[in-house]
Amino acid sequence: MYQLLDPSRFVVFITGATSGFGAAAARRYVEAGAKVVATGRRWDRLVDLQIDLGAENCHIIQLDVQDRAAIDAAIADLPPPFANINVVLANAGLALGLQPAAETDITDWETMIATNVTGLAYTVRALLPGMIHRGGGHIVTLGSVAGDYPYPGGSVYGATKAFVKQFALNLRSDVQGKNIRVTNIEPGLTETEFSLVRFKGDEEKAAKPYSGTKAMNAEDIAETIFWSTTLPEHVNVNRLQVMATTQAFGPFDIYRED
């Protein structure tokens, strides 16, 4: 019989839990009986999440993943019921802008790199030793189809997600024999606050990618994450790319003289 793992034994550490995939995953894990450490920058959102899920199930920490010292301090100060983390969802990340490379705001590039690359590395490095010491666990990183497929205006965002993909694959090699699983979840078109952040609050621009089509939602991706972590311990999903049925692959872009 295929024996799934019992999520009620999970203690899940989630970055970027104030919206989108992170918030949906927190709800999914608590629904299944797990305990969740929900972190993010927006304290009011974290408080609302804790009220919904219950303080006995959800411990909240205001945290910016770009701050390595703050991550270390947060982990060191976890209350005992939330201290033995065995699932890490390194979800915090963002896209900013969609201008061509020569026209972009360089600070947008810096923020994406600091969050999607450096923040991810800080998170995993801080939590991994404890998981190894406790005998195992599962690290889930949030990539994107943009890590494989380029598109105009996505130069640095796509590059950061390519980093996430390769980081997760290399991490699998590093933890061989440690009973640590590593999975990179790579979503495609998903309607969350992603575009609203990318277009800096411009609701009209943010709505356009989803107009006239059926995108995935945060709950779809949360369920995918949850599934990958409840498989038997001897099964590791290395990469899982998920796209809306309405999304596919475009033709090559060929420039032609008029």
Side-chain angles (χ1 to χ4, degrees):
M1 182 178 179
Y2 208 56
Q3 187 64 46
L4 298 179
L5 296 180
D6 179 3
S8 69
R9 298 180 180 273
F10 290 176
V11 180
V12 188
F13 188 98
I14 302 176
T15 63
T18 56
S19 66
F21 304 151
R27 296 179 188 282
R28 182 66 181 93
Y29 278 108
V30 168
E31 175 188 285
K35 292 194 179 298
V36 167
V37 179
T39 75
R41 292 181 300 169
R42 291 175 287 186
W43 180 246
D44 57 333
R45 295 275 190 100
L46 291 173
V47 170
D48 289 344
L49 184 66
Q50 187 181 58
I51 290 170
D52 287 348
L53 301 182
E56 70 280 7
N57 304 314
C58 179
H59 178 68
I60 57 174
I61 304 171
Q62 188 172 26
L63 184 65
D64 185 339
V65 295
Q66 298 179 42
D67 188 338
R68 180 164 58 90
I71 295 172
D72 292 340
I75 295 167
D77 291 340
L78 287 171
F82 297 92
N84 294 328
I85 294 159
N86 52 15
V87 177
V88 175
L89 175 53
N91 165 73
L94 76 167
L96 289 173
L98 201 60
Q99 301 93 341
E103 301 170 18
T104 191
D105 181 343
I106 192 67
T107 61
D108 287 348
W109 283 6
E110 291 171 338
T111 300
M112 285 187 282
I113 293 167
T115 306
N116 302 357
V117 175
T118 307
L120 167 70
Y122 286 167
T123 300
V124 172
R125 180 61 182 83
L127 288 158
L128 186 58
M131 296 171 70
I132 293 173
H133 177 74
R134 289 186 292 272
H138 198 149
I139 292 173
V140 181
T141 55
L142 252 295
S144 167
V145 296
D148 276 343
Y149 307 110
Y151 59 85
S155 53
V156 166
Y157 175 71
T160 66
K161 292 304 181 179
F163 171 89
V164 174
K165 172 184 66 179
Q166 196 61 37
F167 178 79
L169 292 174
N170 287 337
L171 190 59
R172 279 275 289 131
S173 296
D174 281 351
V175 298
Q176 177 71 313
K178 305 294 186 184
N179 196 33
I180 301 289
R181 299 190 291 176
V182 184
T183 300
N184 191 42
I185 303 293
E186 304 168 14
L189 186 68
T190 312
E191 189 166 4
T192 63
E193 292 182 3
F194 176 85
S195 282
L196 195 62
V197 172
R198 161 167 266 172
F199 295 113
K200 302 178 182 180
D202 188 321
E203 294 183 1
E204 184 177 350
K205 285 184 178 179
K208 283 184 179 178
Y210 315 112
S211 178
T213 192
K214 178 67 173 176
M216 298 183 293
N217 58 43
E219 288 71 28
D220 296 326
I221 304 306
E223 190 64 34
T224 304
I225 294 165
F226 180 82
W227 170 81
S228 74
T229 59
T230 55
L231 291 171
E233 284 190 336
H234 68 280
V235 180
N236 188 97
V237 177
N238 297 329
R239 297 176 59 192
L240 186 54
Q241 194 172 96
V242 190
M243 297 175 74
T245 306
T246 56
Q247 183 181 26
F249 312 101
F252 284 112
D253 183 12
I254 300 173
Y255 176 77
R256 302 181 191 279
E257 298 283 354
D258 292 335

